[in-house]
Amino acid sequence: MHDLKTGYQLPDLPYDFNALEPIISAEIMELHYTKHHKAYVTNLNVALEKYHEAETRNDIAAMIAHQSAIKFNGGGHINHSIFWTILTSPSEGGSRGPQGDLAKMIDRDFGTFDQFKEKLTTTTAAIQGSGWGWLGYNKGQKRLEIATCANQDPLSTQGLVPLLGVDVWEHAYYLQYKNVRPDYVKAIWQLFNWNNIEERFYKSII
């Protein structure tokens, strides 16, 4: 996703725009991917170029001024690059649920899978404004944690490794679910790609 000559690139979407229907419409997916994610990538590259120009001038004030754009657009790129890979078609998605060591740690840290699902759903649906709800792994504590991030802040800013995230910016659901965000958050469980989430988990505990 990164080339020194051309900057960061929009990653390939691992499925067609209509693959997540009826949970997420093809129209939403196309707009979300080709407009919103693409804009984060474009603006990240612009901000980085301006930052490096300021760096060559040793203009610290300008370098600081560009950091907010790098954080916002870089976070948007990171978050969406994860989001696309942890989703899959309903026929392959959330009905399976987590297995193996991840399932055991979810039971250990949250009581049961249903308790974990309820906590992540309610926490994410209750985010004020735009943001993300996450399941992350705390390497220091060797435990799973549920966390929320405002806007496009990446989960790494909270010291957690992202395993599963839900985008609750309105562009992710409003065309289909209108203002009923909880319905979207509940429905998206049918799309989670637990194979990918488990791979992230096993990499995080190494």
Side-chain angles (χ1 to χ4, degrees):
M1 289 186 292
H2 181 239
D3 184 289
L4 289 175
K5 293 180 180 178
T6 59
Y8 287 91
Q9 303 290 320
L10 189 67
D12 291 335
L13 199 65
Y15 35 71
D16 294 333
F17 292 133
N18 64 358
L20 306 183
E21 290 190 333
I23 308 303
I24 299 178
S25 70
E27 182 183 16
I28 287 177
M29 283 302 301
E30 184 172 3
L31 288 169
H32 201 167
Y33 175 76
T34 65
K35 301 298 184 183
H36 293 280
H37 191 175
K38 185 178 181 180
Y40 295 130
V41 174
T42 299
N43 293 332
L44 172 61
N45 288 328
V46 170
L48 286 170
E49 184 176 344
K50 290 180 178 178
Y51 178 90
H52 291 311
E53 289 173 357
E55 190 176 31
T56 60
R57 300 193 308 269
N58 200 27
D59 186 344
I60 296 175
M63 290 164 64
I64 293 171
H66 294 307
Q67 286 179 358
S68 61
I70 293 170
K71 180 183 180 182
F72 179 79
N73 292 291
H77 178 45
I78 289 169
N79 292 339
H80 286 85
S81 296
I82 295 170
F83 189 54
W84 308 135
T85 65
I86 63 167
L87 301 178
T88 189
S89 66
S91 62
E92 301 173 11
S95 58
R96 172 166 93 72
Q99 297 179 354
D101 291 337
L102 176 58
K104 292 176 183 177
M105 192 171 287
I106 286 174
D107 288 345
R108 187 198 73 182
D109 293 339
F110 301 104
T112 65
F113 176 75
D114 285 340
Q115 287 175 298
F116 154 68
K117 182 177 178 180
E118 176 65 21
K119 184 176 181 182
L120 182 58
T121 298
T122 55
T123 300
T124 302
I127 291 172
Q128 295 295 312
S130 300
W132 291 73
W134 291 97
L135 172 66
Y137 180 70
N138 186 321
K139 282 180 171 284
Q141 300 294 324
K142 293 182 169 34
R143 59 175 287 116
L144 298 170
E145 296 182 14
I146 288 172
T148 61
C149 294
N151 299 313
Q152 292 297 351
D153 291 358
L155 189 60
S156 58
T157 59
Q158 299 188 32
L160 300 174
V161 180
L163 304 180
L164 178 163
V166 181
D167 184 351
V168 289
W169 279 66
E170 286 190 345
H171 63 239
Y173 66 89
Y174 198 86
L175 283 175
Q176 193 169 352
Y177 294 88
K178 306 307 182 206
N179 63 329
V180 192
R181 180 193 281 177
D183 286 355
Y184 157 72
V185 179
K186 290 174 184 175
I188 204 171
W189 286 88
Q190 298 175 57
L191 301 178
F192 287 142
N193 182 345
W194 288 103
N195 287 327
N196 181 277
I197 296 164
E198 286 162 9
E199 286 176 15
R200 291 182 179 279
F201 170 70
Y202 285 117
K203 289 178 181 176
S204 74
I205 62 176
I206 295 174

